[in-house]
Amino acid sequence: MSQASYRTIQTEVRRRIQSREWPAGQIIPSEVELAREFDCARATINRALRELAQTGLLDRRRKAGTRVSLNPTRKATLDIPIIRLEVENRGQTHRHQIIAREHLPVPDHLAARMNAPRDAQMLHLKTLHLADDQPFLFEDRWINPTTIPDILNAPLDDISANEWLVQNVPISRGDITLTAQPATENDAGTLDVPSGTALFVIERLTWIGDSAVTSVRLAYAPGYQLSTQI
Amino acid sequence: MSQASYRTIQTEVRRRIQSREWPAGQIIPSEVELAREFDCARATINRALRELAQTGLLDRRRKAGTRVSLNPTRKATLDIPIIRLEVENRGQTHRHQIIAREHLPVPDHLAARMNAPRDAQMLHLKTLHLADDQPFLFEDRWINPTTIPDILNAPLDDISANEWLVQNVPISRGDITLTAQPATENDAGTLDVPSGTALFVIERLTWIGDSAVTSVRLAYAPGYQLSTQI
DNA sequence: CAGTTTATTATGTGCAGACATAATATTAAT
DNA sequence: ATTAATATTATGTCTGCACATAATAAACTG
C-alpha cells in the first residue's frame, strides 16, 4: 500500500468487513499497526476509522481498541423537506391553500408536549398542499409565537408555513413520529378520500433550545411513499 | 477565546447560527480568521466546521468559503432494527412463528428489482412476530440464496430471519420505502385485523455490492409508530 | 483473596507546516 | 467585448510530533 488516503483506507476497511476478513465483533489492528501497513501517519488512519465509527460500522473505545460493530447497520437519513420542492421533484406543480388561520389557546395535550403554559395562545394553521391541483398533503400546525414572533409578519399566503419555517428558523432539535392512520372525517373531507382510508402521517415537534417552535401533523394523500437509502 | 477545542468551537458556531448572528445563506469568516479569533490551529477549525458541514448545518466549497446552509435540515437516522429487540424495548416478550417457508421462483417484479434472472429460485419466508402473544408484525421476505448460501443452514425457527441477517450479513446498501397501506386479505388474516385497516409498511431491499440479499415487506399491526430525533 | 493503587496502552485531541485542488478573480490575448 | 490563460484563495488532505484521557492489565496491599 503506497497510496495513503483516508478514503482509500475507508474503502479497504469496508471491503475487509464485507468480505468477513474482519468478522463482526472482532477487534481490528490498532491505528499504529494500520499506519505501518498502509504506510501513512496515524492521524490519517484515525480519521478514516473515526468517520467509519460515526456511521456505525465500527465501535471504538480507548485502550480497548476498535472492533467491527456487532450490528453494523448503516443509518438512513430523514430530513425535514420543503413540501413545495418535494412536489416539484415529482414533476408536478405545487400550490397551497390556507384552510384556517386563527389564534387559539393550545389544546392541553399539546401544551404539555410543547412545554408551554396551559391555554397559551398559539397560531393554528391548517393548510392543504396540492400537486397538479390534486390534494397531496394536509398540514395541521400549531406555532408558538412566543418563540417565533416573526411568524406573525410572514406572508403565509405566498410561502407556506412549512417553507417559511424551514428557511427562517434554525431549529436545534426535533421529535419525529411516523405512523399509518385511518383518515378522520376531517382528513377525508380535506383530502377528498373516503373516511378510514390508510394515510401516511408524520408528526413532528421542533425546538430551539428548550422552547418549542411548532408542532405539526402532516397527513399525506394515499399513494405517498417516503423513500430513503441506507 | 483561550479554550481551543473543536467541540467548544462547534458549540459557539451553532450558537451564532441559532442567534442569527450568522444568518442563513451568509458566508462566515475563513478558517484562518477563525483560527486567529479562537487562538487555535487551522486544523482545529477545519475539523469543527467539517463535522458541522457533514450534519448539513454549513455548506463549504473551496475558494468560495463556508456559508450557513440555506436549508439547514438536520438529518434523523433510521436503522434496520432487530425486531425482537424492538419488542423487548417496549417491555413486551417477543415470539415469532414461521407461516411459510418455501423455495419458489421469484415473482417477475421482484426479480427485476433484485437484479436477478427471471424465475430465479429464492427462499420465501412468511413470519409473524408477536408481542405478548399479540400480532405485532407480519414479515414477508424473499432471500437470494445465491448471495447468502449460509441462510440455508440457519436455525430460522429459533432466530428470525430478520435477526439472523442483521447479525450475519454486512450489507453495503439498502433501499427503504415507508408507506401506509390498507390491509390486504392476507395481512388481515395474519394480523387479525379487519381488511382495509391502515397499516404502517416498511419495504426494504438490501445489497452486498451489486448482489441483492433480501427483499422484505414489514406490515406492522395498528398502533405502531416509528419515532426518531433530528 | 478481595480491594486498591499503579502502570500500560489505544484512542482522542491539538499543533505547525506543507502541498493539493477547486473555484473564483484577474489579466492577457484575440 | 468575449474568450483564454494565469494568479489567487479557501478549503482538503497529509505528516510527524506531542500530550490527554479512558480503560484495561498488572502490581501491590491488607
Side-chain angles (χ1 to χ4, degrees):
Chain A
M1 272 285 167
S2 55
Q3 270 283 9
S5 135
Y6 82 100
R7 286 182 174 282
T8 60
I9 291 166
Q10 286 180 342
T11 304
E12 173 61 13
V13 168
R14 264 195 283 262
R15 192 194 64 72
R16 291 187 189 179
I17 291 172
Q18 273 174 36
S19 70
R20 315 216 203 154
E21 216 165 302
W22 290 347
Q26 197 175 88
I27 201 160
I28 73 172
S30 76
E31 292 186 352
V32 173
E33 291 171 287
L34 288 173
R36 201 162 34 233
E37 178 191 341
F38 288 98
D39 190 26
C40 66
R42 184 171 77 89
T44 304
I45 299 288
N46 180 279
R47 176 164 181 193
L49 299 186
R50 177 161 33 86
E51 288 191 1
L52 289 177
Q54 277 174 357
T55 74
L57 198 64
L58 296 173
D59 287 328
R60 320 190 76 205
R61 265 166 52 228
R62 279 173 176 162
K63 167 77 182 176
T66 301
R67 50 187 68 234
V68 180
S69 176
L70 265 176
N71 172 188
T73 73
R74 287 173 56 188
K75 285 163 185 158
T77 59
L78 281 189
D79 57 6
I80 297 186
I82 293 177
I83 293 156
R84 179 175 60 79
L85 297 179
E86 204 174 14
V87 170
E88 289 174 357
N89 283 341
R90 295 152 61 109
Q92 301 182 294
T93 61
H94 173 264
R95 194 161 64 78
H96 75 277
Q97 43 187 235
I98 296 179
I99 297 172
R101 176 182 186 160
E102 45 200 359
H103 283 269
L104 289 177
V106 72
D108 280 0
H109 72 278
L110 267 182
R113 295 213 321 143
M114 294 178 81
N115 201 10
R118 279 193 56 177
D119 299 324
Q121 289 276 327
M122 294 203 188
L123 176 60
H124 183 211
L125 278 173
K126 290 187 185 180
T127 308
L128 176 63
H129 294 260
L130 300 131
D132 283 349
D133 291 320
Q134 296 292 312
F136 175 73
L137 166 62
F138 175 37
E139 171 183 347
D140 186 329
R141 184 185 292 273
W142 294 82
I143 303 176
N144 190 345
T146 309
T147 312
I148 311 293
D150 292 359
I151 188 74
L152 301 175
N153 306 316
L156 296 181
D157 290 301
D158 300 329
I159 304 178
S160 77
N162 159 265
E163 188 163 353
W164 190 89
L165 287 165
V166 167
Q167 292 187 340
N168 289 278
V169 182
I171 65 160
S172 60
R173 194 162 59 80
D175 305 311
I176 299 179
T177 302
L178 310 175
T179 51
Q181 295 178 13
T184 65
E185 289 296 332
N186 193 2
D187 295 333
T190 308
L191 290 172
D192 193 24
V193 295
S195 175
T197 304
L199 299 183
F200 188 78
V201 175
I202 301 181
E203 285 170 309
R204 200 167 54 213
L205 180 58
T206 51
W207 304 81
I208 292 185
D210 293 327
S211 310
V213 174
T214 182
S215 169
V216 66
R217 173 178 182 271
L218 304 171
Y220 284 85
Y224 178 76
Q225 54 183 49
L226 182 61
S227 296
T228 185
Q229 278 225 341
I230 210 163
Chain B
M1 270 286 165
S2 55
Q3 269 282 8
S5 138
Y6 82 101
R7 287 181 173 282
T8 61
I9 292 167
Q10 287 180 340
T11 304
E12 173 61 12
V13 169
R14 264 195 284 260
R15 193 195 63 71
R16 292 186 189 179
I17 292 172
Q18 273 174 34
S19 70
R20 317 222 202 148
E21 216 165 303
W22 291 346
Q26 197 176 87
I27 201 160
I28 72 172
S30 76
E31 294 186 351
V32 173
E33 291 171 287
L34 288 173
R36 201 161 35 232
E37 179 192 341
F38 288 98
D39 190 25
C40 65
R42 184 172 78 90
T44 305
I45 299 288
N46 180 278
R47 174 163 180 192
L49 298 187
R50 177 161 33 86
E51 288 190 3
L52 290 178
Q54 276 175 355
T55 73
L57 198 64
L58 296 174
D59 287 328
R60 320 190 78 207
R61 265 168 50 228
R62 277 173 178 163
K63 167 76 181 177
T66 301
R67 51 186 68 235
V68 180
S69 177
L70 265 175
N71 172 191
T73 73
R74 287 175 54 188
K75 283 158 187 161
T77 58
L78 279 189
D79 56 5
I80 297 185
I82 293 176
I83 293 157
R84 179 176 60 79
L85 297 179
E86 205 174 15
V87 169
E88 288 174 358
N89 283 340
R90 295 153 62 108
Q92 301 182 295
T93 61
H94 173 263
R95 193 160 65 77
H96 76 276
Q97 43 185 237
I98 296 179
I99 298 172
R101 176 182 188 161
E102 45 199 0
H103 283 268
L104 289 178
V106 71
D108 280 359
H109 72 279
L110 267 182
R113 295 213 323 143
M114 296 177 80
N115 201 9
R118 281 193 55 176
D119 299 323
Q121 290 275 327
M122 294 202 187
L123 177 60
H124 182 212
L125 278 173
K126 290 186 185 183
T127 308
L128 177 63
H129 294 260
L130 301 130
D132 284 349
D133 291 321
Q134 296 292 312
F136 174 74
L137 166 63
F138 174 38
E139 171 183 348
D140 186 329
R141 185 185 291 273
W142 293 83
I143 303 175
N144 189 345
T146 309
T147 312
I148 312 293
D150 292 359
I151 188 73
L152 302 175
N153 307 317
L156 297 181
D157 291 300
D158 301 329
I159 305 178
S160 77
N162 160 265
E163 188 163 353
W164 190 89
L165 286 166
V166 166
Q167 292 186 340
N168 290 277
V169 182
I171 65 161
S172 60
R173 193 163 59 82
D175 305 310
I176 300 179
T177 302
L178 310 175
T179 51
Q181 295 178 13
T184 64
E185 288 297 331
N186 192 3
D187 296 332
T190 309
L191 291 172
D192 194 24
V193 296
S195 176
T197 303
L199 299 182
F200 188 79
V201 174
I202 300 181
E203 285 170 309
R204 201 167 52 213
L205 181 58
T206 51
W207 304 81
I208 292 186
D210 293 327
S211 310
V213 174
T214 181
S215 168
V216 65
R217 174 179 182 272
L218 304 171
Y220 284 86
Y224 178 77
Q225 55 183 51
L226 182 61
S227 296
T228 184
Q229 279 224 341
I230 210 165

mmCIF file of all heavy atoms in Angstrom, chain A residues 87 92-93 95 128-137 190-192 221:
data_model
loop_
_atom_site.group_PDB
_atom_site.id
_atom_site.type_symbol
_atom_site.label_atom_id
_atom_site.label_comp_id
_atom_site.label_asym_id
_atom_site.label_seq_id
_atom_site.Cartn_x
_atom_site.Cartn_y
_atom_site.Cartn_z
ATOM 1 N N VAL A 87 -42.924 18.194 -4.052
ATOM 2 C CA VAL A 87 -43.894 18.067 -5.142
ATOM 3 C C VAL A 87 -43.222 18.337 -6.476
ATOM 4 O O VAL A 87 -43.388 17.593 -7.451
ATOM 5 C CB VAL A 87 -45.074 19.031 -4.919
ATOM 6 C CG1 VAL A 87 -45.954 19.095 -6.156
ATOM 7 C CG2 VAL A 87 -45.885 18.602 -3.708
ATOM 8 N N GLN A 92 -44.438 17.738 -10.617
ATOM 9 C CA GLN A 92 -45.775 18.300 -10.555
ATOM 10 C C GLN A 92 -45.688 19.756 -10.091
ATOM 11 O O GLN A 92 -44.661 20.206 -9.602
ATOM 12 C CB GLN A 92 -46.630 17.475 -9.579
ATOM 13 C CG GLN A 92 -46.724 16.016 -9.984
ATOM 14 C CD GLN A 92 -47.609 15.215 -9.023
ATOM 15 O OE1 GLN A 92 -47.289 15.032 -7.850
ATOM 16 N NE2 GLN A 92 -48.729 14.739 -9.542
ATOM 17 N N THR A 93 -46.784 20.486 -10.257
ATOM 18 C CA THR A 93 -46.772 21.868 -9.802
ATOM 19 C C THR A 93 -47.421 21.941 -8.427
ATOM 20 O O THR A 93 -48.412 21.263 -8.149
ATOM 21 C CB THR A 93 -47.528 22.788 -10.767
ATOM 22 O OG1 THR A 93 -48.887 22.350 -10.838
ATOM 23 C CG2 THR A 93 -46.932 22.738 -12.154
ATOM 24 N N ARG A 95 -49.130 23.975 -5.162
ATOM 25 C CA ARG A 95 -49.945 25.116 -4.771
ATOM 26 C C ARG A 95 -50.429 24.798 -3.368
ATOM 27 O O ARG A 95 -50.578 23.637 -3.011
ATOM 28 C CB ARG A 95 -51.140 25.204 -5.736
ATOM 29 C CG ARG A 95 -51.919 26.494 -5.707
ATOM 30 C CD ARG A 95 -52.730 26.612 -7.003
ATOM 31 N NE ARG A 95 -53.738 25.558 -7.113
ATOM 32 C CZ ARG A 95 -54.906 25.562 -6.451
ATOM 33 N NH1 ARG A 95 -55.198 26.541 -5.618
ATOM 34 N NH2 ARG A 95 -55.778 24.586 -6.619
ATOM 35 N N LEU A 128 -53.767 23.057 3.027
ATOM 36 C CA LEU A 128 -53.836 21.949 2.087
ATOM 37 C C LEU A 128 -52.815 22.191 0.989
ATOM 38 O O LEU A 128 -52.830 23.243 0.341
ATOM 39 C CB LEU A 128 -55.246 21.832 1.494
ATOM 40 C CG LEU A 128 -55.413 20.752 0.417
ATOM 41 C CD1 LEU A 128 -55.158 19.363 0.981
ATOM 42 C CD2 LEU A 128 -56.796 20.817 -0.217
ATOM 43 N N HIS A 129 -51.948 21.215 0.781
ATOM 44 C CA HIS A 129 -50.975 21.302 -0.312
ATOM 45 C C HIS A 129 -51.490 20.488 -1.477
ATOM 46 O O HIS A 129 -51.957 19.358 -1.306
ATOM 47 C CB HIS A 129 -49.618 20.760 0.137
ATOM 48 C CG HIS A 129 -48.962 21.574 1.202
ATOM 49 N ND1 HIS A 129 -47.972 22.488 0.957
ATOM 50 C CD2 HIS A 129 -49.172 21.626 2.543
ATOM 51 C CE1 HIS A 129 -47.595 23.054 2.090
ATOM 52 N NE2 HIS A 129 -48.307 22.549 3.066
ATOM 53 N N LEU A 130 -51.376 21.079 -2.681
ATOM 54 C CA LEU A 130 -51.886 20.396 -3.870
ATOM 55 C C LEU A 130 -50.756 20.142 -4.846
ATOM 56 O O LEU A 130 -49.847 20.969 -5.001
ATOM 57 C CB LEU A 130 -52.951 21.270 -4.543
ATOM 58 C CG LEU A 130 -54.160 21.582 -3.650
ATOM 59 C CD1 LEU A 130 -54.463 23.069 -3.667
ATOM 60 C CD2 LEU A 130 -55.375 20.777 -4.081
ATOM 61 N N ALA A 131 -50.799 18.994 -5.490
ATOM 62 C CA ALA A 131 -49.860 18.653 -6.552
ATOM 63 C C ALA A 131 -50.673 18.527 -7.830
ATOM 64 O O ALA A 131 -51.572 17.682 -7.901
ATOM 65 C CB ALA A 131 -49.144 17.345 -6.243
ATOM 66 N N ASP A 132 -50.378 19.367 -8.805
ATOM 67 C CA ASP A 132 -51.195 19.404 -10.033
ATOM 68 C C ASP A 132 -52.678 19.528 -9.669
ATOM 69 O O ASP A 132 -53.538 18.868 -10.269
ATOM 70 C CB ASP A 132 -50.966 18.155 -10.903
ATOM 71 C CG ASP A 132 -49.657 18.242 -11.659
ATOM 72 O OD1 ASP A 132 -49.045 19.323 -11.679
ATOM 73 O OD2 ASP A 132 -49.245 17.220 -12.234
ATOM 74 N N ASP A 133 -52.955 20.345 -8.673
ATOM 75 C CA ASP A 133 -54.331 20.632 -8.235
ATOM 76 C C ASP A 133 -55.049 19.440 -7.609
ATOM 77 O O ASP A 133 -56.255 19.505 -7.369
ATOM 78 C CB ASP A 133 -55.172 21.212 -9.382
ATOM 79 C CG ASP A 133 -54.691 22.614 -9.761
ATOM 80 O OD1 ASP A 133 -54.366 23.378 -8.834
ATOM 81 O OD2 ASP A 133 -54.626 22.918 -10.965
ATOM 82 N N GLN A 134 -54.318 18.373 -7.341
ATOM 83 C CA GLN A 134 -54.892 17.256 -6.587
ATOM 84 C C GLN A 134 -54.410 17.348 -5.137
ATOM 85 O O GLN A 134 -53.243 17.684 -4.916
ATOM 86 C CB GLN A 134 -54.419 15.912 -7.167
ATOM 87 C CG GLN A 134 -54.885 15.640 -8.581
ATOM 88 C CD GLN A 134 -56.378 15.416 -8.626
ATOM 89 O OE1 GLN A 134 -56.923 14.655 -7.833
ATOM 90 N NE2 GLN A 134 -57.060 16.108 -9.548
ATOM 91 N N PRO A 135 -55.260 17.038 -4.177
ATOM 92 C CA PRO A 135 -54.808 17.071 -2.789
ATOM 93 C C PRO A 135 -53.594 16.171 -2.587
ATOM 94 O O PRO A 135 -53.578 15.026 -3.053
ATOM 95 C CB PRO A 135 -56.016 16.520 -2.008
ATOM 96 C CG PRO A 135 -57.181 16.803 -2.872
ATOM 97 C CD PRO A 135 -56.685 16.682 -4.289
ATOM 98 N N PHE A 136 -52.600 16.711 -1.941
ATOM 99 C CA PHE A 136 -51.349 15.971 -1.753
ATOM 100 C C PHE A 136 -51.073 15.755 -0.274
ATOM 101 O O PHE A 136 -50.686 14.670 0.146
ATOM 102 C CB PHE A 136 -50.206 16.763 -2.384
ATOM 103 C CG PHE A 136 -48.846 16.160 -2.159
ATOM 104 C CD1 PHE A 136 -48.472 15.009 -2.835
ATOM 105 C CD2 PHE A 136 -47.940 16.735 -1.271
ATOM 106 C CE1 PHE A 136 -47.224 14.440 -2.633
ATOM 107 C CE2 PHE A 136 -46.696 16.170 -1.062
ATOM 108 C CZ PHE A 136 -46.342 15.021 -1.747
ATOM 109 N N LEU A 137 -51.321 16.782 0.504
ATOM 110 C CA LEU A 137 -50.927 16.743 1.909
ATOM 111 C C LEU A 137 -51.770 17.715 2.709
ATOM 112 O O LEU A 137 -51.956 18.861 2.309
ATOM 113 C CB LEU A 137 -49.447 17.141 2.009
ATOM 114 C CG LEU A 137 -48.902 17.493 3.392
ATOM 115 C CD1 LEU A 137 -49.016 16.300 4.321
ATOM 116 C CD2 LEU A 137 -47.458 17.938 3.281
ATOM 117 N N THR A 190 -60.969 16.982 3.623
ATOM 118 C CA THR A 190 -59.939 17.854 3.070
ATOM 119 C C THR A 190 -59.194 17.200 1.918
ATOM 120 O O THR A 190 -58.939 17.831 0.890
ATOM 121 C CB THR A 190 -58.937 18.236 4.178
ATOM 122 O OG1 THR A 190 -59.669 18.741 5.296
ATOM 123 C CG2 THR A 190 -57.971 19.276 3.682
ATOM 124 N N LEU A 191 -58.845 15.936 2.096
ATOM 125 C CA LEU A 191 -58.036 15.260 1.069
ATOM 126 C C LEU A 191 -58.901 14.613 0.009
ATOM 127 O O LEU A 191 -58.385 14.052 -0.969
ATOM 128 C CB LEU A 191 -57.136 14.199 1.722
ATOM 129 C CG LEU A 191 -55.997 14.735 2.586
ATOM 130 C CD1 LEU A 191 -55.304 13.594 3.322
ATOM 131 C CD2 LEU A 191 -54.973 15.484 1.725
ATOM 132 N N ASP A 192 -60.200 14.644 0.226
ATOM 133 C CA ASP A 192 -61.138 14.087 -0.744
ATOM 134 C C ASP A 192 -60.928 12.581 -0.920
ATOM 135 O O ASP A 192 -60.736 12.094 -2.041
ATOM 136 C CB ASP A 192 -60.993 14.819 -2.098
ATOM 137 C CG ASP A 192 -62.164 14.494 -3.018
ATOM 138 O OD1 ASP A 192 -63.242 14.135 -2.509
ATOM 139 O OD2 ASP A 192 -61.975 14.580 -4.255
ATOM 140 N N ALA A 221 -51.854 12.246 1.229
ATOM 141 C CA ALA A 221 -52.879 11.555 0.445
ATOM 142 C C ALA A 221 -52.373 10.159 0.085
ATOM 143 O O ALA A 221 -51.165 9.930 0.019
ATOM 144 C CB ALA A 221 -53.197 12.349 -0.814
#
